[in-house]
Amino acid sequence: MKIEGKTAIVTGGAQGIGEQFCRALVDHGANVIIADLKKQRGEDLCRELNKQYRSNRAKFIQCDVTSKADLQNTIHFAIKTFGRLDILCNNAGVTEIGNWEKAIEINFTSVIRGTKLAIEVMSTRNGGHGGVIINTASMGAIFPIMGGPVYSGTKFGVLGFSRSLSNLNASDGIRVNVICPAFVRTEMFEASIPNYIDSYGNDFQKKMKKHIVSPVLVARGMIQLVEDDTKNDAVMRVTGVRGIDYYKFQESKL
Ligand SMILES: NC(=O)C1=CN([C@@H]2O[C@H](COP(=O)(O)OP(=O)(O)OC[C@H]3O[C@@H](n4cnc5c(N)ncnc54)[C@H](O)[C@@H]3O)[C@@H](O)[C@H]2O)C=CC1
Ligand SMILES: CC/C=C\C[C@H](O)/C=C/C=C\C=C\C=C\C(=O)[C@@H](O)C/C=C\CCC(=O)O
């Protein structure tokens, strides 16, 4: 998909990986809705991007992805403002620290809901233009993570759900792909270090050094998944060891 002139929503777009998604999409000429709980950070980013690109292509909307009404409102806002929706990055996520039930809602249920709502408006069967959905999972969707079993479970869920939509490309013109970063230096990662030290030992940070990637590299991967029309049902890894590559699962016999 040529990104210029297209419209994207990025959930959790105010900081971390989502922020870099927004920056990269605007840089490629997209209209971007930054959808996040954090009003101040989202509005600041929006202002900065519009100033930098001398445009009005970035918009912020306060959105709690666990609210169906907020997600619907975000999609309506994209269409009302820019006339269409082409790209959805279901990226908002949290650790399970303090509230594992909430982590399931944010990391998994909201990804399902966001995907379903976007399909309704993107589907060529409903008069939409088709599109691309990128769901942020984690390397913790491929390997179990000892410091975050619920987190890891939600990411396995995101991966399984997303891959089970591979037929949508043929039927509705929508490609669904998953991005699986290793450890990314963001606020989420910093906050979860004590948990990992508990599970993996005091030398966790030293051991993990080579596995840490920058959010900018993750955004580069996301752009590749959007631009390359052959990518459907792709599971992209972004790791310190291999950079950007694709994980191959056993072919289904069904
Ligand atoms: N940091 C890491 O090492 C890795 C992160 N990931 C995933 O990448 C995604 C982004 O994570 P980071 O940027 O690291 O985290 P972060 O904590 O820096 O940013 C997450 C953003 O999501 C927003 N958010 C949280 N709950 C929300 C809700 N209910 N509604 C709307 N927005 C909400 C936050 O306000 C924040 O702006 C998450 O899905 C995370 O699981 C995946 C692999 C590695
Ligand atoms: C919980 C909050 C913060 C971050 C969690 C993050 O989502 C979890 C990441 C979990 C695991 C990361 C694993 C990273 C592994 C690597 O980078 C490499 O060891 C793997 C690289 C390539 C695969 C090796 C192979 O081909 O078998």
Side-chain angles (χ1 to χ4, degrees):
M1 175 192 286
K2 186 168 181 287
I3 294 177
E4 192 177 356
K6 301 295 194 308
T7 299
I9 293 173
V10 180
T11 70
Q15 70 179 47
I17 295 171
E19 174 186 338
Q20 295 306 325
F21 281 9
C22 294
R23 288 183 185 280
L25 285 162
V26 171
D27 188 58
H28 281 73
N31 307 307
V32 176
I33 309 287
I34 304 162
D36 204 295
L37 275 177
K38 292 190 178 169
K39 192 164 188 279
Q40 190 63 57
R41 284 190 79 143
E43 285 180 345
D44 287 350
L45 175 62
C46 189
R47 207 171 302 115
E48 185 199 323
L49 287 170
N50 287 332
K51 192 169 167 206
Q52 183 182 347
Y53 291 88
R54 293 199 182 87
S55 76
N56 215 6
R57 288 188 285 112
K59 300 277 178 201
F60 171 76
I61 186 164
Q62 193 166 31
C63 167
D64 179 347
V65 293
T66 64
S67 153
K68 184 177 180 186
D70 277 13
L71 280 176
Q72 277 171 326
N73 192 32
T74 300
I75 291 175
H76 291 155
F77 179 64
I79 291 172
K80 198 174 80 193
T81 312
F82 296 117
R84 53 193 287 156
L85 176 64
D86 307 280
I87 302 158
L88 170 66
C89 298
N90 282 307
N91 168 77
V94 293
T95 69
E96 68 201 70
I97 301 168
N99 192 342
W100 61 264
E101 287 102 334
K102 191 80 183 166
I104 296 173
E105 257 190 88
I106 295 173
N107 295 2
F108 190 31
T109 312
S110 304
V111 171
I112 296 173
R113 188 170 289 127
T115 301
K116 283 180 173 288
L117 290 170
I119 290 169
E120 283 173 25
V121 298
M122 283 178 174
S123 170
T124 49
R125 284 199 285 192
N126 296 342
H129 300 91
V132 192
I133 299 174
I134 313 281
N135 291 332
T136 306
S138 159
M139 284 298 284
I142 298 172
F143 300 121
I145 323 181
M146 266 33 107
V150 177
Y151 176 87
S152 191
T154 62
K155 297 302 186 176
F156 269 78
V158 167
L159 191 130
F161 167 71
S162 307
R163 295 204 60 213
S164 304
L165 296 173
S166 61
N167 58 331
L168 276 182
N169 192 23
S171 59
D172 300 70
I174 301 168
R175 296 185 283 116
V176 182
N177 293 309
V178 187
I179 193 158
C180 295
F183 295 104
V184 187
R185 203 165 290 286
T186 63
E187 286 184 22
M188 173 191 271
F189 177 67
E190 300 295 341
S192 49
I193 288 174
N195 256 38
Y196 288 121
I197 289 177
D198 273 356
S199 302
Y200 293 100
N202 279 329
D203 57 347
F204 165 77
Q205 290 212 68
K206 197 168 146 221
K207 277 194 300 204
M208 283 303 126
K209 228 174 187 166
K210 67 175 182 197
H211 296 307
I212 296 177
V213 295
S214 88
V216 172
L217 185 64
V218 185
R220 207 170 295 150
M222 177 277 296
I223 292 289
Q224 190 180 112
L225 287 172
V226 175
E227 286 188 326
D228 185 345
D229 290 322
T230 68
K231 296 299 179 212
N232 177 48
D233 186 24
V235 178
M236 175 185 275
R237 298 185 294 196
V238 186
T239 63
V241 178
R242 292 167 188 266
I244 293 172
D245 74 348
Y246 290 89
Y247 189 76
K248 278 270 155 268
F249 284 89
Q250 198 180 330
E251 290 288 324
S252 162
K253 293 201 168 60
L254 293 177

